[in-house]
């Protein structure tokens, strides 16, 4: 039923018919013969490297790279023009290996990672067997970002490479497999500073040189498949560790499976496995209930005529299909979601037959169907030669359409992780289009939040999953031109995570009993249906802890243990720690938050003694000068805002002790906009690592953006991106200079000319 519902939704939004048979392909390789290739294995990827909306082809070449029987060298980008024509750009003096594409430093530009056999370079770019290089959005300039890679026994050569967020921390990590024997398999975690650390690895064994990441058991953690003699499948635990999970799959032989690939064959949300053995094409899926592999090969042919596989929805009908190439023949079998296969397109590559690389998925001509790239070898050693070819599906689109690829439906994603959103779009000739991506965590009728708008319609976007908790999530893909617009929805998928609750404390931080207000938010629904707390975290829920106003008798640091249930599911447990007051000294501000000059009452308490001894002074402006008016507890200020205090305390004997502490004016409503001259939007909020801040205003700049902690200290000044009438700031709380900031409440203040001010509260969950 759920599969039918998914397909129905896709047809309603795209107008696709239920059958797309008799696909046909035409060669589109103009420019791919430059330079002439040599021979041997290689790897190809589709990626829009220069963000012009057209798919490019990337590789680091075959045995001839760099400069051996060929002029190939380094990172090779074949730029596509959207019509199937190509122009190459090569950078670096190295090559012969595998490659992956993704934004590893989250700057919005496409980067590359690669494993290689020929690390011949005399510079940092190309001098180690596994590398990552940062791009600048042009595809013509690359900066090494690879410290720590290839430092765990990779002493011969590496090859197949892939990116994924292994530890669900919001950045891409890397995996790679040996070039043949014997450097093994290695997975490295991204430390986001140009350094990498190995989280999993094994040495020795032989390899077929392919490595692919994907969530195979749908537990929200990334797994991988690999062509290796020690095993084909490894399940991840979300921390960077992996365990063998081949189970009852066919034996891998002496070198591993040939041509392994991943895709969702049976529409259940997890990735299924295709590969080739001596007995022929194989497709298997993991059964989560039984904990074993199920053969989905159905009526696929026996025999070893093929060398590589790819799983993809080639006819855009909502079901994953199987493409295979080898011995000079390409064949496509259409899937029906149950393991039955119908042969469709087939063609031969005259004069070349030995498959060295094979990839499908990129729509190079924007006709709404994925296309094919391959490298095949002709001749024999030592006079053999590889040929790079592209074959595009021949349909000519008449109308604008969009078809979701990923999420496919029923996946489970982890909060804060990086995932790829993929789509296909048919665009009539001469039409300029862009894409808009939106997300709902509350079903089809829920609030749609923009993920990205007015981005290139290139079929892929790197997405950080928001901090929600829901099994009714959807992505809406919208493609638009100046005259038309079309949308399509994915099937439902889930977002899960460990921490789903937010607790906010507020109260009068003075000695003695006083009320403490505690408000709770369930980040998945916006409310709490049933809850209990253990405020002391002593294992006992006291009567006073059942009341949302709790009396405490000592300022300090408090932890709260929460139990929540919706009445039908098992309780979910969580703990959040928050600092209520500064540990040594505290200043409490009270005032009437009206504009103009009003009195501000300031009360100091030294928590170590219960009062102030000796003498004290403050520097209210925190400018290093203690003025006379700052010696008096009544201060006049001219507008509501943020104030910091430098408090100097001494007992008259020991050396002066200086403590900085600051508090936001307690009566200001920091969640409200402070000007009618602009529109301020923040997404996501609450956020786990990164938050995007957008200000739209007709006011003249400049504007400044500060982020303050609950003590009034300025902890960040995000960098602004200025557009016409729009100012955009990004802040990553986990990558703050000086170290990761703590989860809690922060305040955003934007100021400009003529008293312009907007203030908002930010909730940083840290997960």
């Amino acid at each position: 039923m759920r599969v039918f519902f998914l397909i129905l939704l896709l047809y309603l939004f795209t107008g696709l018919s239920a059958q797309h048979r008799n696909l046909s392909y035409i060669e589109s390789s103009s420019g791919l013969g430059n330079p002439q290739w040599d021979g041997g294995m290689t790897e190809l990827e589709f990626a829009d490297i220069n963000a012009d909306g057209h798919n490019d082809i990337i590789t680091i070449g075959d045995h001839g790279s760099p400069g051996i029987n060929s002029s190939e060298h380094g990172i090779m980008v074949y730029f596509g023009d959207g019509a199937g024509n190509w122009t190459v750009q090569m950078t670096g003096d190295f090559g012969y290996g595998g490659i992956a594409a993704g934004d590893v430093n989250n700057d919005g530009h496409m980067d590359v990672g690669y494993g290689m056999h020929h690390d011949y370079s005399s510079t940092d770019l190309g001098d180690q067997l596994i590398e990552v290089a940062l791009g600048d959005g042009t595809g013509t300039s690359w900066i090494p970002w690879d410290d720590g890679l290839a430092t765990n026994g990779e002493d011969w050569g590496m090859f197949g490479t892939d990116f994924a967020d292994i530890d669900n921390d919001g950045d891409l990590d890397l995996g790679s497999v040996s070039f043949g024997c014997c450097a093994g398999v290695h997975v490295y975690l991204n430390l986001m500073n140009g350094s990498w650390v190995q989280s999993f690895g094994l040495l020795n064994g032989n390899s077929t040189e392919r490595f692919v990441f994907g969530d195979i058991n749908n537990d929200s953690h990334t797994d991988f498949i690999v062509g290796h003699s020690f095993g084909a499948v490894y399940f991840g635990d979300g921390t960077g560790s992996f365990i063998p999970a081949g189970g009852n799959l066919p034996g891998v032989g002496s070198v591993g499976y040939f041509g392994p690939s991943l895709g969702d064959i049976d529409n259940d949300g997890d990735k299924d496995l295709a590969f080739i053995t001596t007995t022929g094409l194989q497709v298997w899926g993991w059964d989560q209930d039984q904990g074993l592999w199920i053969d989905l090969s159905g009526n696929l042919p026996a025999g070893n005529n093929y060398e590589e596989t790819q799983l993809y929805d080639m006819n855009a009908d909502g079901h994953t299909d199987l493409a295979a190439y080898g011995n000079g023949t390409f064949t496509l079998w259409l899937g029906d979601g149950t393991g039955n296969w119908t042969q469709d397109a087939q063609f031969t590559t005259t004069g070349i037959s030995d498959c060295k690389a094979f990839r499908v998925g990129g729509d190079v001509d924007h006709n709404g169907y994925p296309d094919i790239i391959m490298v095949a070898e002709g001749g024999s050693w030592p006079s053999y030669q590889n040929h790079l070819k592209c074959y595009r599906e021949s349909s000519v689109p008449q109308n604008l359409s969009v078809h979701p690829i990923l999420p496919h439906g029923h996946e489970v994603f982890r909060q804060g992780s990086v995932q790829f959103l993929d789509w296909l779009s048919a665009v009539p000739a001469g039409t300029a289009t862009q894409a808009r991506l939106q997300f709902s965590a509350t079903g089809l009728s829920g609030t749609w939040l923009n993920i990205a708008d007015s981005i290139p319609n290139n079929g892929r976007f790197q997405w950080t999953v928001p901090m929600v908790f829901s099994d009714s999530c959807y992505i809406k893909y919208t493609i638009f031109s100046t005259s038309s617009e079309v949308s399509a929805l994915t099937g439902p998928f889930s977002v899960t995570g460990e921490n789903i609750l937010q607790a906010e404390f507020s109260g009068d931080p003075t000695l003695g009993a006083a009320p403490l207000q505690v408000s709770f938010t369930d980040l998945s629904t916006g409310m709490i249906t049933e809850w209990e707390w253990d405020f002391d975290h002593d294992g006992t829920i006291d009567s006073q802890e059942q009341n949302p106003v709790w009396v405490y008798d000592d300022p300090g640091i408090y932890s709260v243990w929460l139990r929540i249930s919706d009445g039908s599911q098992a309780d979910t447990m969580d703990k959040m720690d928050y600092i209520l007051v500064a540990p040594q000294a505290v200043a409490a501000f009270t005032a009437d938050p009206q504009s103009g000059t009003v009195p501000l009452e300031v009360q100091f308490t030294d928590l170590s003694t219960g009062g102030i001894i000796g003498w004290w002074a403050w520097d209210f402006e925190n400018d290093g000068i203690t003025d006379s008016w700052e010696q008096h507890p009544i201060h006049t200020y001219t507008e509501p805002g943020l104030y910091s205090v430098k408090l100097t305390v001494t007992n008259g004997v020991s050396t002066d002790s200086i403590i900085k502490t600051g508090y936001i004016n307690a009566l200001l409503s920091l969640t409200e906009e402070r000007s009618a001259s602009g529109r301020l939007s923040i997404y996501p909020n609450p956020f786990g690592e990164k938050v995007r801040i957008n200000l739209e205003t007709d006011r003249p700049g400049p504007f400044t953006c500060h982020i303050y902690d609950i003590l009034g200290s300025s902890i960040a000044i995000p960098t602004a991106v200025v557009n016409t009438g729009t100012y955009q700031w990004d802040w990553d709380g986990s990558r703050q200079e000086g170290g990761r900031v703590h989860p809690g409440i922060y305040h955003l203040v934007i100021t400009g000319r003529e008293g312009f001010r907007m203030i908002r509260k930010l909730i940083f969950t840290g997960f």
Side-chain angles (χ1 to χ4, degrees), residues 206-259:
N206 214 331
S207 165
T208 60
E209 303 172 357
R210 299 299 183 225
F211 182 101
V212 183
F213 280 126
D215 187 358
I216 297 169
N217 58 352
N218 212 24
D219 65 350
S220 79
H221 301 314
T222 300
D223 313 309
F224 70 81
I225 60 170
V226 63
H228 195 268
S229 59
F230 287 176
V233 182
Y234 290 79
F235 286 167
D237 66 356
T239 70
S241 296
F242 295 86
I243 59 172
N248 60 308
L249 285 172
V252 297
S254 61
V255 294
Y257 293 152
F258 286 90

Side-chain angles (χ1 to χ4, degrees), residues 629-641:
W629 57 264
E630 294 178 310
Q631 299 286 352
H632 195 274
I634 302 294
H635 170 54
T636 57
Y637 67 112
T638 57
E639 60 178 322

Side-chain angles (χ1 to χ4, degrees), residues 68-414:
I68 304 172
N69 300 322
S70 169
S71 58
E72 294 173 305
H73 60 93
I75 301 169
M76 304 173 64
V77 182
Y78 289 87
F79 293 107
D81 67 353
N85 303 301
W86 311 92
T87 304
V88 70
Q89 168 74 32
M90 298 184 288
T91 307
D93 190 30
F94 58 91
Y96 192 14
I99 196 164
D103 182 3
V104 298
N105 63 339
N106 295 336
D107 68 346
H109 298 312
M110 194 67 72
D111 312 310
V112 293
Y114 41 88
M116 70 176 110
H117 188 42
H118 293 165
D119 55 338
Y120 298 162
S121 176
S122 59
T123 69
D124 193 11
L125 184 67
D127 65 350
Q128 60 193 56
L129 295 178
I130 304 176
E131 292 191 334
V132 168
L134 299 182
D136 64 357
T138 66
T140 62
S141 178
W142 303 95
I143 299 174
W145 214 60
D146 55 14
D147 292 346
L149 291 172
T151 56
N152 290 274
E154 302 95 324
D155 59 359
W156 164 243
M158 300 301 293
F159 219 85
T161 303
D162 203 5
F163 282 136
D165 188 355
I166 303 305
D167 50 357
N168 299 311
D169 66 346
D171 55 54
L172 290 177
D173 308 304
L174 177 146
S176 188
V177 65
S178 173
F179 170 67
C181 176
C182 302
V185 180
H186 302 270
V187 176
Y188 286 87
L189 298 182
N190 182 358
L191 301 184
M192 284 299 288
N193 59 3
S195 298
W196 304 74
V197 60
Q198 179 169 280
S199 66
F200 172 83
L202 56 87
L203 293 173
N204 300 316
N206 214 331
S207 165
T208 60
E209 303 172 357
R210 299 299 183 225
F211 182 101
V212 183
F213 280 126
D215 187 358
I216 297 169
N217 58 352
N218 212 24
D219 65 350
S220 79
H221 301 314
T222 300
D223 313 309
F224 70 81
I225 60 170
V226 63
H228 195 268
S229 59
F230 287 176
V233 182
Y234 290 79
F235 286 167
D237 66 356
T239 70
S241 296
F242 295 86
I243 59 172
N248 60 308
L249 285 172
V252 297
S254 61
V255 294
Y257 293 152
F258 286 90
S261 60
L262 290 176
D264 187 0
I265 298 296
D266 49 4
N267 301 315
D268 62 353
D270 60 27
K271 294 293 188 288
D272 304 307
L273 170 63
F275 55 91
I276 299 166
T277 68
T278 56
T279 61
L281 292 164
Q282 303 271 331
V283 178
W284 291 72
W286 177 254
D287 188 304
Q288 300 175 46
D289 296 328
Q290 300 183 64
L292 51 78
W293 293 93
I294 305 298
D295 189 352
L296 300 174
S297 304
N299 56 329
L300 290 173
N304 56 356
N305 293 324
Y306 296 96
E307 299 165 84
E308 297 280 351
T309 73
Q310 289 281 276
L311 291 170
Y312 207 89
D313 185 0
M314 299 294 288
N315 63 344
D317 70 343
H319 297 309
T320 298
D321 309 311
L322 173 64
Y325 177 72
N327 292 313
T329 299
F330 166 88
T331 306
L332 172 65
W333 290 269
L334 302 179
D336 68 353
T338 65
N340 296 311
W341 306 95
T342 302
Q343 183 174 320
D344 190 64
Q346 187 174 73
F347 61 83
T348 59
T349 53
T350 304
I352 54 175
S353 59
D354 192 2
C355 180
K356 300 302 181 181
F358 180 54
R359 188 75 67 191
V360 306
D363 182 3
V364 303
D365 56 353
H366 304 286
N367 74 337
Y369 293 95
D371 299 315
I372 306 160
I373 50 178
M374 64 176 65
V375 172
E377 187 180 271
S380 58
W381 187 88
S383 60
Y384 60 19
Q385 182 185 340
N386 276 343
H387 299 267
L388 173 59
K389 300 288 186 179
C390 174
Y391 296 88
R392 56 187 176 89
E393 206 283 325
S394 61
S395 299
V396 178
Q398 303 299 317
N399 301 299
L400 192 65
S401 70
V402 58
H403 173 70
I405 295 294
L406 292 174
H408 191 68
H410 307 293
E411 294 92 344
V412 180
F413 295 146
R414 180 69 50 158

Side-chain angles (χ1 to χ4, degrees), residues 488-560:
L489 296 176
T490 66
F493 61 94
S494 301
V495 175
T496 188
E498 302 297 339
N499 300 308
I500 64 169
L501 300 175
Q502 180 79 42
E504 178 183 347
F505 299 169
S506 61
D508 180 10
T510 58
L511 288 176
L516 177 67
Q517 299 283 344
V518 183
S519 62
F520 289 99
T521 304
D522 179 351
L523 302 186
S524 64
T525 64
M527 62 180 294
I528 298 295
T529 53
E530 299 176 13
W531 50 261
E532 297 175 332
W533 63 32
D534 175 8
F535 218 111
D536 312 273
H537 205 215
D538 61 359
T540 303
I541 299 174
D542 304 318
S543 59
Q544 64 177 2
E545 293 177 315
Q546 297 287 352
N547 194 319
V549 177
W550 185 60
V551 177
Y552 70 106
D553 53 16
D554 188 22
I557 299 174
Y558 292 85
S559 63
V560 59

